[in-house]
Structures are given as structure tokens and as C-alpha cells.
Amino acid sequence: MAQTAAPTTGAPAITPISLKAIAPWAVFFGIVMLILLYFVGAEQGATSVISGAGVHEWVHDGRHLLGFPCH
């Protein structure tokens, strides 16, 4: 039995995105995530960058949700 080709629907072809195009965005989001991890996990401790308790209170519930002890 002969196979027939599927009819074309005119859908655009999917082109792959090169690693060169993704790399800057991956680095950017990696840095942003590291900054967020610092503020949730380590700010208001021995390595405090911002004085006061504002940052601690702002990320307090997230800190406990992610398993970071803070008191």
C-alpha cells in the first residue's frame, strides 16, 4: 500500500534559536536570580548590604517558604 503525503497547511516552519542568541539572556536572568536569592537568603545577616529591617520584613515569609532560617 502506498503512503500519501500529508497535505500542507501553510504553517510557518519553526526555526531553531542559536545558543549565541540565548546566552546573553541566560546570563542576565542568572544574575537576577542570584540577586534575588541573596536578598531572600542572606540579607539582614552577617553580610547585610542594606541597614535596617525593611528588606528582612519584606522577604520574611518567602524566606520561611524556601526553608531559610532567619530567627
Side-chain angles (χ1 to χ4, degrees):
M1 186 149 127
Q3 292 182 352
T4 59
T8 58
T9 59
I14 298 173
T15 58
I17 300 173
S18 70
L19 187 58
K20 265 185 162 178
I22 293 176
W25 289 104
V27 170
F28 172 72
F29 285 115
I31 291 170
V32 168
M33 292 308 293
L34 285 174
I35 291 170
L36 287 173
L37 182 64
Y38 167 76
F39 276 107
V40 171
E43 180 63 22
Q44 297 303 115
T47 61
S48 181
V49 174
I50 300 172
S51 63
V55 173
H56 175 82
E57 293 301 324
W58 190 63
V59 297
H60 186 97
D61 292 338
R63 189 174 294 210
H64 287 297
L65 180 68
L66 293 173
F68 289 100
C70 66
H71 50 88

